[in-house]
Amino acid sequence: MKDEVTREERVDALGGMGCKRKRVEDARFTQGKGNYVDDIKLPGMLFGDFVRSPYAHARIKSIDASAALALDGVIAVLTADDLRPLGLHWMPTLAGDKQMVLADGKVLFQGQEVAYVVAKDRYIAADAVELVEVEYEDLPVLVDPFEAMKSDVVLREDLVGEDGSLPDGAHGPRKHHNHIFTWEAGEKEATKQVIDNADVVATETMYYHRTHPCPLETCGCVASMDKVNGKLTLWGTFQAPHAIRTVVSLISGIEEHNIRVISPDIGGGFGNKVGAYPGYVCSVVASIVTGVPVKWVEDRMENLMTTAFARDYWMTGKISATKDGKITGLDCHVTADHGGFDACADPTKFPAGFMNICTGSYDIPTAYLAVDGVYTNKAPGGVSYRCSFRVTEAVYFIERMIEVLAIELDMDAAELRRINFIRKDQFPYKAALGWEYDSGDYHTAWDKALKAVDYDGLRAEQAQRVEDFKAGKTRKLMGIGLTHFTEIVGAGPVKNCDILGLGMFDSCEIRIHPTGSAIARLGTISQGQGHATTFAQILATEIGLPADSITIEEGDTDTAPYGLGTYGSRSTPVAGAATAMAGRKIRAKAQMIAAYLLEVHDDDVEFDVDRFVVKGAPEKFKTMKEIAFAAYNQAIPGIEPGLEAVSYYDPPNMTYPFGAYVCVMDIDVDTGEVDIRRFYALDDCGTRINPMIIEGQVHGGLTEALAVALGQEIAYDDMGNVKTGTLMDFFLPTAWEVPNYETDHTVTPSPHHPIGAKGVGESPHVGGVPCFSNAVNDAFRAFGLRHTHMPHDHWRIWKTANQLGLHG
Amino acid sequence: MSKKMHIQMTVNGEEQEFLAEPRELLIHTLRERLNITGPHIGCETSHCGACTVTINGKSVKSCTMFVAQANGAEVTTIEGLGNPDSLHVLQEAFKEHHGLQCGFCTPGMITRASKLLEENPTPSEEEVRFGMAGNICRCTGYQNIVKSILAAAEELNSAKEAAQ
């Protein structure tokens, strides 16, 4: 039989890896038919709402819910006293600490959950919240981690022995009653020696301010206890539905098989929806108590004030180099403000996440890192806002230190980077702080980026601008921001990565239907990344069935295989690998079926796009569609019927995406306003599955980076009041403030990933923040500025200009 | 509780009549009373635009409008813009140009864009960016949203030209 379709046409027909496949999710979203948690409506459903503390630190003297309970439509008001008999007034955090579900005698941050009202609708619930009388006795407030480490005020009495002793925390000995842990990596003494004896040392302290992921959809859930069958169904905005199921089982005592957790469509996550929050626990309890479904959805102020802050790292660095700029050592100390409870979402063995990637893209022979976690009267959280665990902090730190060193050396910062990059021939590269970088080609990416923007031309223009400014011809300075970042994503190998003891593998299960279409289920959950589109592309290439014939399903723990969810850019590195591996199992069985159908030995057929062909006789073949039917229709000796596979993938290493970014901005010295003239982003995420989606991820990540660098923060006053609790004060850029970005790429596949992919969703945020910040700092370099803290809003930039004497 | 009001309104071409507390927010009327869940709640303070609908020909953030204020009004939501058999040009354009990711802002975004293109059928990129500044997206960085709207404008204009 003559095959009239060319091989190339057969490849195109699959819609597999590398093509700009349009998203299958978009039909429902563009028509308003997404199904988000607040869209769920069940018969008899009640609404939960919280009474929250107006104080940042206070003792609770009394709670009087009588007026609230007297209101028509109020079903219950839960307090810690109601949860105590169930052992649910506190819950474990992901970081090995515990957190109050409802205030147990005191509150530790403004907005803390004090009582949970259950009512017939959300209006009655809100009315009832106002009627709950809570008497507080205010206590001294600690909002500064350095003060907290010196203060006599004890924030967590539960962590101090009766004799005043300090029992060890989850991560070892504690130095002070407000101290949580010290975490170290690298060689302390050796690093000190190198720095003490170096030609040149640059020192800087930088504050990476507290901010918040702030997805457009807030956190929420619907808990529904079916008392007849003893089954609990919990819908919610969960980035890790299986982990939530296990946690709910452990703390509620309901057996895991009787709990079904469903993440429906999620309106953005960015790390906000990884953890377990008091709202979930209270809703589950309320549903168990009432026997009807209970919905809880936080409002924006509750979201910003209570669930999942990010960053809040004070970082002091010392970097040493030879006179000609070769870096010899790096020392980093972090004081990490974790708020009232340590609820950071990090793998168990990494209380400061992967901060030890802070040697960045550079070949730094000796380094030392120490992180001290501290309690304060701020909200708990410490999530990875669009980054792998604490990687934004690490990359910001090293990329600022490089700039400061360049000033110290009076060198061009691009050249300083170039002479210190890890060379291509050094990979796999063992970094001084422990990680083994899998692959990279930094020089190629860097040179491509600098050429694309005409770097030398930009520097010449900048020099002229400084002259013009000094001559009074302009009031605008020009900043050139550079960043070369190396990320560490795809957590991770079970040998060193777990959350609550759950290994951080991920999974995929595939069922091929008789007519040659398929469904694949994964342990991850999309929050906008387009998994239903891209994972089908991976499979199309692996198993030779069209992507359009493959349904991807995630987020239902009753049907999906166990997995640790979507955050830390782990979906493609881990679940994407599981998808490819499960696809290969399908293919292996298909090969045997094909050989049987073609009446040859298994080894005599080979896979070709969408079929198995007899080696050397391509006219003899069986398509995957034919093979799928045969799997259900023929009794093949020695082969079970059906065509299904499951893979649990334990990655051998992390992946290490990298990129080279350049930002060019003009800064109005008199108003502090910033005009981003150009932003060039080169990303190397290894093998590219869908270039359209990659580009979209880069645009989005850069915009969140712009927000963080130029204005977005969770700020507190001295009393612990949150000053940025609404979108009036918390900066989310609009289309008006955001530039068009230029995207570019190189491709350095991961050597250990089945398809060579590395993950990309977070790279632009990780690389973008230091790039914007470096541009602002760079604009003032000619006037003596070494470093100024983010966020660089108009007021702070104006202040910088003023302090440098630029206002005459 | 306060006395209920008799409310009448047209939503996506259908007459609706019901009793509601005057303080009920229009977004809740749509989402909970009428099961029109396309418009979303992102902030409840008029900042994010996820709840954007068209009321009597104007873009309105329905999270900060009382249902009493919408009495007698004509309301259009994303559900009224197109249907599965015949999508609105903007719905097609957003799909084509990757103008959405998580989809939460999308109904408000497209509803606002449809009004913008009525107000100004040939907007420049700058005018699109300014005209859409009341709608926040956390995922896309706006570049592809702007691209989608400009492409839809072009499409609508060439269709108009062809008809003339």
Side-chain angles (χ1 to χ4, degrees), chain A residues 22-23 30 36 38-39 41 122-123 127 213-214 300 385 527 696 699-700 703-704 733 735 738 740-741, chain B residues 23 25 28 31-32 35 42 44 78 84 91 96 98 101-105 125 129 138-143:
Chain A
K22 301 299 176 206
R23 299 200 334 159
T30 54
Y36 302 90
D38 201 16
D39 298 337
K41 204 173 176 181
R122 60 177 89 213
Y123 287 76
D127 288 340
C214 194
R300 178 57 60 194
Y385 169 11
Q527 308 124 38
H699 294 167
T703 301
E704 290 190 343
V738 174
N740 281 311
Y741 305 104
Chain B
R23 69 168 177 171
L25 294 171
H28 292 138
R31 291 178 49 80
E32 305 204 351
N35 293 320
E44 295 173 298
I78 185 73
Q91 290 169 320
E96 182 63 26
H98 192 25
Q101 290 179 27
C102 82
F104 201 75
C105 75
E125 182 189 326
R129 286 184 175 274
R138 294 286 291 137
C139 299
T140 64
Y142 303 104
Q143 193 156 332

Side-chain angles (χ1 to χ4, degrees), chain A residues 328-348:
Chain A
T328 55
L330 178 72
D331 180 278
C332 176
H333 181 267
V334 180
T335 297
D337 185 339
H338 285 215
F341 306 97
D342 186 10
C344 290
D346 291 312
T348 305

Side-chain angles (χ1 to χ4, degrees), chain A residues 131-147:
Chain A
L131 293 173
V132 175
E133 289 290 336
V134 184
E135 199 182 341
Y136 298 93
E137 177 191 330
D138 59 335
L139 296 168
V141 173
L142 297 171
V143 289
D144 178 326
F146 299 100
E147 287 298 318

